[in-house]
Structure formats: structure tokens, C-alpha cells
Amino acid sequence: MTVAVVGAGLVGTFVGVHLSSQTPVVLVGRSKEWQDRLHGQTLVAQTLSKTTQTLQNPKTCIALDTLEQVETYIICVKRLVLREAADALLSSLKKPGKVVLVTLMNGVGACEELSKIVKEKQLTGFEFEFVEGIWSTNIVEKEPLLWSEGSSGACYLDQTPSSIKLAAMLNKSGIHTETTENIIGVQYGKLLVNLNNPISALSGLPTKQELLGPDSGYRVLLAHCMWEALNVYERSGITPISTTRAPAWFVPKVLYYTPTFVLNQFSHLIVNVEETATSSMYEDLKAKRMTEIQYLQGEIVRLANQTDQPVPYCQGILELVQEPNVKR
């Protein structure tokens, strides 16, 4: 079975390199410069526990219509360009049959959006299986062609016949992967953690320094955002499943009430973060690119509007990141 990783950025490349130890993999990127950079090279991916996999002379592609059709596609693009990626992928399908579409990206309900796009295309002769996923660790290119985990966590997949097989391969490759019958709960649990992404990005600090440094204001702000989210979840009938070692309700209390020196001693019991790990949104803000804020604090604001709840902290972060003239 050949797997195509569509969106071979930080997470996509990390997943692809690991998965290549179990099955043939094609990395799909967006530019000739990206393809030239990887051509003939050895790619290295390393987990937080230092489990390492390599991929020599990777097979790459920048135009899906030139790629021989495969059964399984893992889509790791930015959520903002999901439709663009889906259009290209679906247009490339020529041989009717089973197609497994796995989404690994920020936000909630990517597969729901993807399935609507598929229905719009009215493709005949294809059997689509959708697998909603969530990636919960930070990936950085620590050195040229070395992709490394910057925080602890796991990959979660909606439980389907194909996802069980994929999870087994990912686990064998060194990526801790779990299947779940409540992927939406996991996604909303991960969203709680991801509410720190824009705060970390706006601070300009590595995530560990932002959360555990002498200025406790950042983590107090995160605690307020998380409390707002939890209140909105309760009113919306959403039960989040924690992707850290602590219950979802417990984390904001720890962030808000625990003195810095105490938190530094015990934070690893909740989540491990490398010293230099940063938020991917930080790079987006530096480069003045569109961010995924609408799928983070924006999702909490959306839910709050449906339940008529004020969420001033999440609303403020949303507006600040969207402000085009904000000083980065």
C-alpha cells in the first residue's frame, strides 16, 4: 500500500518519514524549490523520545495529477487551504475504487468539510472512507532535513477499518497513535491546548519560556481563554477529551494558581516541551501570512455566539491576531 502525504510541511514530512519505514510513501508539496531541496537527500525524523527514522531519496510530487493514484491520502495542509488541496486531489483521481482520505490538521470537523467537497464533485465509481485525525505535538525542523518533535503527545484517528491499520503502522514506526470512537471530543480537547498558539506567537517567545518564564501574564491569559472555552463547551453539550496527562478542567487552574517556581518543577507531568519549540503561528505572523486563528479562538467565539455567551479573552486574541497593523 502506497500512502501519499498531501502537504509535506513540518507535520506531513515527520509523518511521511516515519511511515516510510512501514510502507511506500510519496510526499506531496507545493513548489519546485521544495522538491529540489529534498531531491536525492536523506530525511531524518526524530520523536521526543529520540526514536529516529530516515527516508533516503524521497519520492516527491508537486502536481497531484502527475501522481499515480494511491488508495490512502493523508492530508496535512493548513486548514485554510483544505478546499484547494481537496480540489486538486479529487481532480487527480482517474481509476474508480476505494479511496481513504485522512485529515491531520488544526481545528474541528475537517473531514465534515472534506466530505461536503467530495459530494459537490459528484464523482461516480469511487468508495470514499473519511478518517478524521488530530495531531497533538509540535514539530520543528531542528536542523536542515531533520524534523523533530518539540512536545509530548500523540496522533489520534477516528476509529474505522482503515484507520486501525494505519494506526498500527504509525505505532510500529515510532509515532504513538490511538484510534477513538469520539474524535470530536479529542479535537475539542486539543483545541483547549491550541488556544496557546496565538498567545505564544504574539509573545514572540519559545513556548516553554512563555508558559514557564517569570512573566506569568501569558499563562494567566491562556487560563482565561481555556475557562471561556470550557464554559462554552458545557453550554454546547461538548465533552472534551484531554490530550495531555491532566484532565481538561484541571489545566487552567494549574496555569492560573500555581507559582512559577512550583510549576517549573511539575509541568513535565502534564506535558513536555523542548526549550526552543515555538508556535507555528509565530512563523505565520513573522511572514505576514494568513493564520488559522479562526479555527482556534475563532471556533470558541463561533460557539459562544450560538449560545449567547461573552468570551472577551478569546474575542480579544482573535481580534489582535486578525489586526493587520499589529506590531509583531
Side-chain angles (χ1 to χ4, degrees), residues 253-267:
K253 289 187 176 183
V254 171
L255 293 171
Y256 190 86
Y257 292 110
T258 308
T260 300
F261 75 93
V262 176
L263 194 58
N264 270 281
Q265 297 299 315
F266 298 102
S267 62

Side-chain angles (χ1 to χ4, degrees), residues 268-288:
H268 67 280
L269 298 177
I270 299 176
V271 63
N272 285 331
V273 182
E274 273 201 341
E275 296 289 340
T276 58
T278 59
S279 162
S280 60
M281 192 178 290
Y282 172 68
E283 301 300 329
D284 291 335
L285 290 180
K286 276 206 312 182
K288 297 185 177 180

Side-chain angles (χ1 to χ4, degrees), residues 131-150:
V131 178
E132 187 96 56
I134 192 75
W135 186 266
S136 68
T137 72
N138 174 263
I139 305 296
V140 295
E141 190 173 356
K142 199 170 185 178
E143 300 173 9
L145 305 180
L146 167 60
W147 287 263
S148 177
E149 261 185 331

Side-chain angles (χ1 to χ4, degrees), residues 125-305:
F126 291 93
E127 177 192 348
F128 290 97
E129 180 180 334
F130 298 95
V131 178
E132 187 96 56
I134 192 75
W135 186 266
S136 68
T137 72
N138 174 263
I139 305 296
V140 295
E141 190 173 356
K142 199 170 185 178
E143 300 173 9
L145 305 180
L146 167 60
W147 287 263
S148 177
E149 261 185 331
S151 62
S152 58
C155 174
Y156 298 89
L157 300 174
D158 189 19
Q159 190 166 296
T160 71
S162 295
S163 73
I164 292 172
K165 296 176 184 177
L166 179 59
M169 288 193 292
L170 288 168
N171 277 310
K172 287 180 181 178
S173 78
I175 295 176
H176 177 56
T177 306
E178 300 178 21
T179 60
T180 174
E181 295 181 347
N182 186 9
I183 191 65
I184 296 299
V186 175
Q187 288 183 321
Y188 276 111
K190 181 60 169 62
L191 176 56
L192 286 172
V193 178
N194 281 351
L195 294 177
N196 187 54
N197 289 4
I199 299 171
S200 177
L202 290 167
S203 76
L205 300 171
T207 301
K208 191 166 187 176
Q209 184 179 344
E210 172 240 338
L211 288 175
L212 303 178
D215 187 349
S216 63
Y218 295 119
R219 63 175 179 269
V220 167
L221 178 56
L222 174 58
H224 281 293
C225 285
M226 295 177 85
W227 273 322
E228 288 182 348
L230 288 167
N231 288 333
V232 168
Y233 288 176
E234 185 176 6
R235 289 278 292 273
S236 303
I238 296 168
T239 302
I241 297 176
S242 178
T243 58
T244 72
R245 301 185 187 109
W249 59 266
F250 184 68
V251 176
K253 289 187 176 183
V254 171
L255 293 171
Y256 190 86
Y257 292 110
T258 308
T260 300
F261 75 93
V262 176
L263 194 58
N264 270 281
Q265 297 299 315
F266 298 102
S267 62
H268 67 280
L269 298 177
I270 299 176
V271 63
N272 285 331
V273 182
E274 273 201 341
E275 296 289 340
T276 58
T278 59
S279 162
S280 60
M281 192 178 290
Y282 172 68
E283 301 300 329
D284 291 335
L285 290 180
K286 276 206 312 182
K288 297 185 177 180
R289 295 190 294 258
M290 290 286 290
T291 72
E292 295 184 305
I293 187 66
Q294 69 191 79
Y295 302 105
L296 303 176
Q297 271 79 354
E299 173 67 8
I300 304 304
V301 172
R302 184 186 71 82
L303 291 173
N305 289 337

